[in-house]
Amino acid sequence: ETGVTQTPRHLVMGMTNKKSLKCEQHLGHNAMYWYKQSAKKPLELMFVYNFKEQTENNSVPSRFSPECPNSSHLFLHLHTLQPEDSALYLCASSHHLAGESYEQYFGPGTRLTVT
Amino acid sequence: AQSVSQHNHHVILSEAASLELGCNYSYGGTVNLFWYVQYPGQHLQLLLKYFSGDPLVKGIKGFEAEFIKSKFSFNLRKPSVQWSDTAEYFCAVNASSTNAGKSTFGDGTTLTVKP
């Protein structure tokens, strides 16, 4: 049990579909992250939220839209995706205080396939 | 910008062999360093971390890593690997002076241990 859950675990969607990925953390953390993990590529940070405020957007295309309604929940809304967006999408959470550094706790990921 | 380099993409060892996985980073300031592990079918989890103090840090399952500041390295070691150590290993660096939540990950090293 990681304390970070993600749903769904697997998702197949067409390029014209709209879907959302959900992440929930039960660890009392105040920072949450979305990463993309593709085969043969390093883990790519997509978005960072601290205290529900987005603090990082790593040049992610607008077809990915994050939402963080509170410090325990994080969503990634998907629309008009491309086949190259197929990957494992990981959510993570951590404590965050200015000037401090903490390890991240990861969820199991959502395996996304875009057809 | 910080970057992380893991030199070995795929390492194959027999049980009881010694392991050393290389990790080098590029950043001139103070850093916090992590090794994460992803076992087959499981989520990414922390193996060990270095924030300050003794540069030789010990983690779970007999792993250790040594921070050598002059070499910008944080190599992971284990004296005797087991079949259950088969996994993907990621080195990550977090520069203290920047957004404390933003970690940069290496490409990962796949370790296969033959029984």
Side-chain angles (χ1 to χ4, degrees):
Chain A
E1 177 57 51
T2 67
V4 180
T5 58
Q6 290 186 245
T7 55
R9 295 293 304 275
H10 299 271
L11 178 62
V12 179
M13 60 186 288
M15 290 190 284
T16 59
N17 290 158
K18 288 186 181 180
K19 295 286 183 183
S20 296
L21 310 185
K22 180 183 176 182
C23 175
E24 185 173 358
Q25 59 96 359
H26 313 274
L27 300 168
H29 292 158
N30 49 31
M32 296 187 77
Y33 314 80
W34 279 117
Y35 288 89
K36 178 182 178 182
Q37 187 177 29
S38 306
K40 303 186 188 302
K41 283 188 175 182
L43 211 57
E44 300 173 56
L45 178 66
M46 300 174 72
F47 301 104
V48 180
Y49 276 83
N50 289 325
F51 293 99
K52 303 186 300 178
E53 299 296 322
Q54 188 181 123
T55 58
E56 189 86 23
N57 176 338
N58 237 13
S59 303
V60 181
S62 60
R63 57 185 184 270
F64 295 91
S65 174
E67 179 190 0
C68 188
N70 54 62
S71 56
S72 298
H73 294 85
L74 185 65
F75 295 89
L76 187 63
H77 304 300
L78 316 170
H79 64 98
T80 59
L81 294 192
Q82 304 298 310
E84 60 264 30
D85 296 323
S86 298
L88 182 68
Y89 287 85
L90 293 173
C91 174
S93 70
S94 74
H95 291 296
H96 175 68
L97 289 174
E100 297 293 327
S101 183
Y102 300 91
E103 64 268 29
Q104 296 180 17
Y105 292 77
F106 286 84
T110 295
R111 175 69 62 188
L112 173 67
T113 303
V114 181
T115 60
Chain B
Q2 61 205 36
S3 66
V4 178
S5 175
Q6 292 182 239
H7 317 295
N8 319 99
H9 294 292
H10 195 177
V11 173
I12 302 173
L13 296 172
S14 297
E15 276 195 313
S18 64
L19 169 72
E20 181 158 4
L21 301 182
C23 173
N24 284 89
Y25 65 92
S26 65
Y27 184 73
T30 303
V31 293
N32 299 302
L33 298 155
F34 308 84
W35 275 98
Y36 289 87
V37 61
Q38 190 171 28
Y39 297 104
Q42 295 190 28
H43 60 275
L44 206 62
Q45 57 187 288
L46 182 72
L47 197 56
L48 49 76
K49 62 187 179 185
Y50 172 79
F51 285 179
S52 63
D54 189 343
L56 183 64
V57 292
K58 296 190 184 298
I60 59 171
K61 302 186 181 184
F63 286 90
E64 64 179 33
E66 185 175 13
F67 170 49
I68 303 179
K69 189 174 180 180
S70 61
K71 295 185 178 180
F72 298 91
S73 70
F74 189 56
N75 292 354
L76 181 70
R77 299 194 294 248
K78 185 171 184 178
S80 176
V81 295
Q82 300 173 308
W83 175 79
S84 58
D85 293 324
T86 294
E88 191 155 16
Y89 293 80
F90 295 90
C91 181
V93 63
N94 190 322
S96 299
S97 63
T98 62
N99 184 339
K102 181 179 175 181
S103 291
T104 300
F105 285 77
D107 289 1
T109 297
T110 301
L111 171 66
T112 302
V113 179
K114 297 181 186 176

PDB file of all heavy atoms in Angstrom, chain B residues 44-68:
ATOM      1  N   LEU B  44       6.891   2.728  -8.274  1.00  0.00           N
ATOM      2  CA  LEU B  44       8.199   3.298  -7.977  1.00  0.00           C
ATOM      3  C   LEU B  44       8.266   3.616  -6.479  1.00  0.00           C
ATOM      4  O   LEU B  44       7.341   4.204  -5.920  1.00  0.00           O
ATOM      5  CB  LEU B  44       8.333   4.578  -8.788  1.00  0.00           C
ATOM      6  CG  LEU B  44       9.709   5.094  -9.170  1.00  0.00           C
ATOM      7  CD1 LEU B  44      10.418   4.104 -10.050  1.00  0.00           C
ATOM      8  CD2 LEU B  44       9.569   6.416  -9.907  1.00  0.00           C
ATOM      9  N   GLN B  45       9.359   3.205  -5.828  1.00  0.00           N
ATOM     10  CA  GLN B  45       9.459   3.470  -4.393  1.00  0.00           C
ATOM     11  C   GLN B  45      10.882   3.876  -4.034  1.00  0.00           C
ATOM     12  O   GLN B  45      11.836   3.523  -4.712  1.00  0.00           O
ATOM     13  CB  GLN B  45       9.016   2.252  -3.586  1.00  0.00           C
ATOM     14  CG  GLN B  45       9.777   0.977  -3.894  1.00  0.00           C
ATOM     15  CD  GLN B  45       9.174  -0.228  -3.191  1.00  0.00           C
ATOM     16  OE1 GLN B  45       9.301  -0.367  -1.984  1.00  0.00           O
ATOM     17  NE2 GLN B  45       8.534  -1.088  -3.966  1.00  0.00           N
ATOM     18  N   LEU B  46      10.996   4.591  -2.916  1.00  0.00           N
ATOM     19  CA  LEU B  46      12.293   5.083  -2.483  1.00  0.00           C
ATOM     20  C   LEU B  46      13.156   3.944  -1.963  1.00  0.00           C
ATOM     21  O   LEU B  46      12.711   3.128  -1.164  1.00  0.00           O
ATOM     22  CB  LEU B  46      12.100   6.135  -1.384  1.00  0.00           C
ATOM     23  CG  LEU B  46      13.374   6.794  -0.864  1.00  0.00           C
ATOM     24  CD1 LEU B  46      13.936   7.733  -1.921  1.00  0.00           C
ATOM     25  CD2 LEU B  46      13.089   7.547   0.425  1.00  0.00           C
ATOM     26  N   LEU B  47      14.413   3.933  -2.396  1.00  0.00           N
ATOM     27  CA  LEU B  47      15.385   2.949  -1.921  1.00  0.00           C
ATOM     28  C   LEU B  47      16.267   3.573  -0.840  1.00  0.00           C
ATOM     29  O   LEU B  47      16.505   2.997   0.210  1.00  0.00           O
ATOM     30  CB  LEU B  47      16.243   2.502  -3.112  1.00  0.00           C
ATOM     31  CG  LEU B  47      17.053   1.230  -3.027  1.00  0.00           C
ATOM     32  CD1 LEU B  47      16.180   0.037  -2.685  1.00  0.00           C
ATOM     33  CD2 LEU B  47      17.778   0.987  -4.354  1.00  0.00           C
ATOM     34  N   LEU B  48      16.752   4.774  -1.109  1.00  0.00           N
ATOM     35  CA  LEU B  48      17.533   5.517  -0.134  1.00  0.00           C
ATOM     36  C   LEU B  48      17.666   6.969  -0.585  1.00  0.00           C
ATOM     37  O   LEU B  48      17.340   7.295  -1.721  1.00  0.00           O
ATOM     38  CB  LEU B  48      18.913   4.875   0.079  1.00  0.00           C
ATOM     39  CG  LEU B  48      19.752   4.520  -1.140  1.00  0.00           C
ATOM     40  CD1 LEU B  48      20.405   5.714  -1.780  1.00  0.00           C
ATOM     41  CD2 LEU B  48      20.837   3.488  -0.772  1.00  0.00           C
ATOM     42  N   LYS B  49      18.153   7.805   0.334  1.00  0.00           N
ATOM     43  CA  LYS B  49      18.264   9.226   0.037  1.00  0.00           C
ATOM     44  C   LYS B  49      19.448   9.821   0.774  1.00  0.00           C
ATOM     45  O   LYS B  49      19.859   9.316   1.823  1.00  0.00           O
ATOM     46  CB  LYS B  49      16.984   9.955   0.446  1.00  0.00           C
ATOM     47  CG  LYS B  49      16.705   9.869   1.942  1.00  0.00           C
ATOM     48  CD  LYS B  49      15.339  10.458   2.286  1.00  0.00           C
ATOM     49  CE  LYS B  49      15.090  10.321   3.795  1.00  0.00           C
ATOM     50  NZ  LYS B  49      13.729  10.760   4.176  1.00  0.00           N
ATOM     51  N   TYR B  50      19.983  10.891   0.206  1.00  0.00           N
ATOM     52  CA  TYR B  50      21.026  11.661   0.868  1.00  0.00           C
ATOM     53  C   TYR B  50      20.592  13.125   0.900  1.00  0.00           C
ATOM     54  O   TYR B  50      20.322  13.726  -0.151  1.00  0.00           O
ATOM     55  CB  TYR B  50      22.369  11.537   0.137  1.00  0.00           C
ATOM     56  CG  TYR B  50      23.397  12.486   0.699  1.00  0.00           C
ATOM     57  CD1 TYR B  50      24.058  12.188   1.879  1.00  0.00           C
ATOM     58  CD2 TYR B  50      23.647  13.714   0.088  1.00  0.00           C
ATOM     59  CE1 TYR B  50      24.973  13.077   2.422  1.00  0.00           C
ATOM     60  CE2 TYR B  50      24.556  14.608   0.623  1.00  0.00           C
ATOM     61  CZ  TYR B  50      25.207  14.281   1.786  1.00  0.00           C
ATOM     62  OH  TYR B  50      26.096  15.166   2.335  1.00  0.00           O
ATOM     63  N   PHE B  51      20.592  13.693   2.117  1.00  0.00           N
ATOM     64  CA  PHE B  51      20.309  15.118   2.247  1.00  0.00           C
ATOM     65  C   PHE B  51      21.533  15.852   2.770  1.00  0.00           C
ATOM     66  O   PHE B  51      21.901  16.908   2.271  1.00  0.00           O
ATOM     67  CB  PHE B  51      19.111  15.353   3.192  1.00  0.00           C
ATOM     68  CG  PHE B  51      17.774  15.017   2.588  1.00  0.00           C
ATOM     69  CD1 PHE B  51      16.607  15.163   3.323  1.00  0.00           C
ATOM     70  CD2 PHE B  51      17.664  14.551   1.285  1.00  0.00           C
ATOM     71  CE1 PHE B  51      15.371  14.854   2.766  1.00  0.00           C
ATOM     72  CE2 PHE B  51      16.434  14.235   0.721  1.00  0.00           C
ATOM     73  CZ  PHE B  51      15.279  14.391   1.468  1.00  0.00           C
ATOM     74  N   SER B  52      22.175  15.285   3.805  1.00  0.00           N
ATOM     75  CA  SER B  52      23.355  15.915   4.387  1.00  0.00           C
ATOM     76  C   SER B  52      23.990  14.906   5.339  1.00  0.00           C
ATOM     77  O   SER B  52      23.442  13.824   5.578  1.00  0.00           O
ATOM     78  CB  SER B  52      22.990  17.204   5.138  1.00  0.00           C
ATOM     79  OG  SER B  52      22.147  16.905   6.229  1.00  0.00           O
ATOM     80  N   GLY B  53      25.146  15.262   5.875  1.00  0.00           N
ATOM     81  CA  GLY B  53      25.786  14.405   6.867  1.00  0.00           C
ATOM     82  C   GLY B  53      26.649  13.339   6.228  1.00  0.00           C
ATOM     83  O   GLY B  53      27.306  13.565   5.206  1.00  0.00           O
ATOM     84  N   ASP B  54      26.675  12.164   6.818  1.00  0.00           N
ATOM     85  CA  ASP B  54      27.506  11.058   6.352  1.00  0.00           C
ATOM     86  C   ASP B  54      27.226  10.778   4.874  1.00  0.00           C
ATOM     87  O   ASP B  54      26.095  10.485   4.493  1.00  0.00           O
ATOM     88  CB  ASP B  54      27.205   9.799   7.182  1.00  0.00           C
ATOM     89  CG  ASP B  54      28.173   8.655   6.909  1.00  0.00           C
ATOM     90  OD1 ASP B  54      28.871   8.675   5.873  1.00  0.00           O
ATOM     91  OD2 ASP B  54      28.215   7.718   7.737  1.00  0.00           O
ATOM     92  N   PRO B  55      28.252  10.882   4.023  1.00  0.00           N
ATOM     93  CA  PRO B  55      28.016  10.680   2.586  1.00  0.00           C
ATOM     94  C   PRO B  55      27.712   9.237   2.211  1.00  0.00           C
ATOM     95  O   PRO B  55      27.304   8.972   1.083  1.00  0.00           O
ATOM     96  CB  PRO B  55      29.337  11.132   1.954  1.00  0.00           C
ATOM     97  CG  PRO B  55      30.353  10.977   3.027  1.00  0.00           C
ATOM     98  CD  PRO B  55      29.638  11.249   4.319  1.00  0.00           C
ATOM     99  N   LEU B  56      27.927   8.307   3.124  1.00  0.00           N
ATOM    100  CA  LEU B  56      27.578   6.908   2.861  1.00  0.00           C
ATOM    101  C   LEU B  56      26.222   6.646   3.505  1.00  0.00           C
ATOM    102  O   LEU B  56      26.093   6.677   4.727  1.00  0.00           O
ATOM    103  CB  LEU B  56      28.643   5.972   3.428  1.00  0.00           C
ATOM    104  CG  LEU B  56      28.433   4.485   3.157  1.00  0.00           C
ATOM    105  CD1 LEU B  56      28.493   4.202   1.652  1.00  0.00           C
ATOM    106  CD2 LEU B  56      29.473   3.659   3.894  1.00  0.00           C
ATOM    107  N   VAL B  57      25.222   6.436   2.680  1.00  0.00           N
ATOM    108  CA  VAL B  57      23.879   6.236   3.206  1.00  0.00           C
ATOM    109  C   VAL B  57      23.424   4.808   2.957  1.00  0.00           C
ATOM    110  O   VAL B  57      23.751   4.209   1.931  1.00  0.00           O
ATOM    111  CB  VAL B  57      22.866   7.217   2.574  1.00  0.00           C
ATOM    112  CG1 VAL B  57      23.153   8.627   3.019  1.00  0.00           C
ATOM    113  CG2 VAL B  57      22.860   7.123   1.062  1.00  0.00           C
ATOM    114  N   LYS B  58      22.677   4.316   3.900  1.00  0.00           N
ATOM    115  CA  LYS B  58      22.173   2.942   3.783  1.00  0.00           C
ATOM    116  C   LYS B  58      20.666   2.975   3.578  1.00  0.00           C
ATOM    117  O   LYS B  58      19.968   3.783   4.184  1.00  0.00           O
ATOM    118  CB  LYS B  58      22.541   2.148   5.035  1.00  0.00           C
ATOM    119  CG  LYS B  58      24.056   1.990   5.191  1.00  0.00           C
ATOM    120  CD  LYS B  58      24.415   1.017   6.290  1.00  0.00           C
ATOM    121  CE  LYS B  58      25.928   0.961   6.483  1.00  0.00           C
ATOM    122  NZ  LYS B  58      26.631   0.471   5.276  1.00  0.00           N
ATOM    123  N   GLY B  59      20.210   2.104   2.708  1.00  0.00           N
ATOM    124  CA  GLY B  59      18.791   2.035   2.430  1.00  0.00           C
ATOM    125  C   GLY B  59      18.223   0.682   2.769  1.00  0.00           C
ATOM    126  O   GLY B  59      18.815  -0.084   3.525  1.00  0.00           O
ATOM    127  N   ILE B  60      17.081   0.408   2.177  1.00  0.00           N
ATOM    128  CA  ILE B  60      16.414  -0.865   2.447  1.00  0.00           C
ATOM    129  C   ILE B  60      17.086  -1.998   1.680  1.00  0.00           C
ATOM    130  O   ILE B  60      17.814  -1.757   0.706  1.00  0.00           O
ATOM    131  CB  ILE B  60      14.923  -0.792   2.067  1.00  0.00           C
ATOM    132  CG1 ILE B  60      14.767  -0.451   0.574  1.00  0.00           C
ATOM    133  CG2 ILE B  60      14.206   0.241   2.923  1.00  0.00           C
ATOM    134  CD1 ILE B  60      13.337  -0.560   0.063  1.00  0.00           C
ATOM    135  N   LYS B  61      16.878  -3.212   2.143  1.00  0.00           N
ATOM    136  CA  LYS B  61      17.285  -4.436   1.454  1.00  0.00           C
ATOM    137  C   LYS B  61      18.794  -4.508   1.202  1.00  0.00           C
ATOM    138  O   LYS B  61      19.229  -5.102   0.215  1.00  0.00           O
ATOM    139  CB  LYS B  61      16.521  -4.587   0.131  1.00  0.00           C
ATOM    140  CG  LYS B  61      15.012  -4.600   0.349  1.00  0.00           C
ATOM    141  CD  LYS B  61      14.243  -4.889  -0.912  1.00  0.00           C
ATOM    142  CE  LYS B  61      12.751  -4.871  -0.619  1.00  0.00           C
ATOM    143  NZ  LYS B  61      11.924  -5.228  -1.785  1.00  0.00           N
ATOM    144  N   GLY B  62      19.591  -3.914   2.071  1.00  0.00           N
ATOM    145  CA  GLY B  62      21.038  -4.034   1.974  1.00  0.00           C
ATOM    146  C   GLY B  62      21.720  -3.117   0.979  1.00  0.00           C
ATOM    147  O   GLY B  62      22.919  -3.240   0.739  1.00  0.00           O
ATOM    148  N   PHE B  63      20.980  -2.200   0.396  1.00  0.00           N
ATOM    149  CA  PHE B  63      21.559  -1.253  -0.543  1.00  0.00           C
ATOM    150  C   PHE B  63      22.220  -0.097   0.201  1.00  0.00           C
ATOM    151  O   PHE B  63      21.789   0.295   1.285  1.00  0.00           O
ATOM    152  CB  PHE B  63      20.496  -0.705  -1.498  1.00  0.00           C
ATOM    153  CG  PHE B  63      20.070  -1.682  -2.552  1.00  0.00           C
ATOM    154  CD1 PHE B  63      19.011  -2.549  -2.324  1.00  0.00           C
ATOM    155  CD2 PHE B  63      20.732  -1.741  -3.767  1.00  0.00           C
ATOM    156  CE1 PHE B  63      18.615  -3.467  -3.297  1.00  0.00           C
ATOM    157  CE2 PHE B  63      20.343  -2.647  -4.749  1.00  0.00           C
ATOM    158  CZ  PHE B  63      19.282  -3.508  -4.509  1.00  0.00           C
ATOM    159  N   GLU B  64      23.255   0.468  -0.409  1.00  0.00           N
ATOM    160  CA  GLU B  64      23.893   1.660   0.100  1.00  0.00           C
ATOM    161  C   GLU B  64      24.346   2.512  -1.088  1.00  0.00           C
ATOM    162  O   GLU B  64      24.456   2.013  -2.218  1.00  0.00           O
ATOM    163  CB  GLU B  64      25.084   1.333   0.999  1.00  0.00           C
ATOM    164  CG  GLU B  64      26.219   0.626   0.286  1.00  0.00           C
ATOM    165  CD  GLU B  64      27.389   0.350   1.218  1.00  0.00           C
ATOM    166  OE1 GLU B  64      27.160   0.114   2.428  1.00  0.00           O
ATOM    167  OE2 GLU B  64      28.534   0.372   0.736  1.00  0.00           O
ATOM    168  N   ALA B  65      24.574   3.776  -0.829  1.00  0.00           N
ATOM    169  CA  ALA B  65      25.066   4.666  -1.876  1.00  0.00           C
ATOM    170  C   ALA B  65      26.024   5.660  -1.245  1.00  0.00           C
ATOM    171  O   ALA B  65      25.883   6.036  -0.081  1.00  0.00           O
ATOM    172  CB  ALA B  65      23.916   5.403  -2.562  1.00  0.00           C
ATOM    173  N   GLU B  66      27.008   6.068  -2.031  1.00  0.00           N
ATOM    174  CA  GLU B  66      27.998   7.006  -1.536  1.00  0.00           C
ATOM    175  C   GLU B  66      27.981   8.282  -2.356  1.00  0.00           C
ATOM    176  O   GLU B  66      28.096   8.245  -3.586  1.00  0.00           O
ATOM    177  CB  GLU B  66      29.399   6.390  -1.584  1.00  0.00           C
ATOM    178  CG  GLU B  66      30.457   7.298  -0.958  1.00  0.00           C
ATOM    179  CD  GLU B  66      31.821   6.656  -0.885  1.00  0.00           C
ATOM    180  OE1 GLU B  66      32.031   5.599  -1.532  1.00  0.00           O
ATOM    181  OE2 GLU B  66      32.684   7.216  -0.187  1.00  0.00           O
ATOM    182  N   PHE B  67      27.834   9.384  -1.661  1.00  0.00           N
ATOM    183  CA  PHE B  67      27.849  10.691  -2.293  1.00  0.00           C
ATOM    184  C   PHE B  67      29.302  11.183  -2.328  1.00  0.00           C
ATOM    185  O   PHE B  67      29.924  11.327  -1.275  1.00  0.00           O
ATOM    186  CB  PHE B  67      26.977  11.664  -1.499  1.00  0.00           C
ATOM    187  CG  PHE B  67      27.093  13.107  -1.920  1.00  0.00           C
ATOM    188  CD1 PHE B  67      27.001  13.465  -3.257  1.00  0.00           C
ATOM    189  CD2 PHE B  67      27.273  14.113  -0.974  1.00  0.00           C
ATOM    190  CE1 PHE B  67      27.083  14.786  -3.655  1.00  0.00           C
ATOM    191  CE2 PHE B  67      27.357  15.447  -1.360  1.00  0.00           C
ATOM    192  CZ  PHE B  67      27.270  15.783  -2.701  1.00  0.00           C
ATOM    193  N   ILE B  68      29.838  11.391  -3.520  1.00  0.00           N
ATOM    194  CA  ILE B  68      31.182  11.946  -3.670  1.00  0.00           C
ATOM    195  C   ILE B  68      31.028  13.287  -4.368  1.00  0.00           C
ATOM    196  O   ILE B  68      30.851  13.352  -5.595  1.00  0.00           O
ATOM    197  CB  ILE B  68      32.120  11.008  -4.454  1.00  0.00           C
ATOM    198  CG1 ILE B  68      32.186   9.639  -3.774  1.00  0.00           C
ATOM    199  CG2 ILE B  68      33.517  11.619  -4.547  1.00  0.00           C
ATOM    200  CD1 ILE B  68      33.069   8.626  -4.474  1.00  0.00           C
TER     201      ILE B  68
END
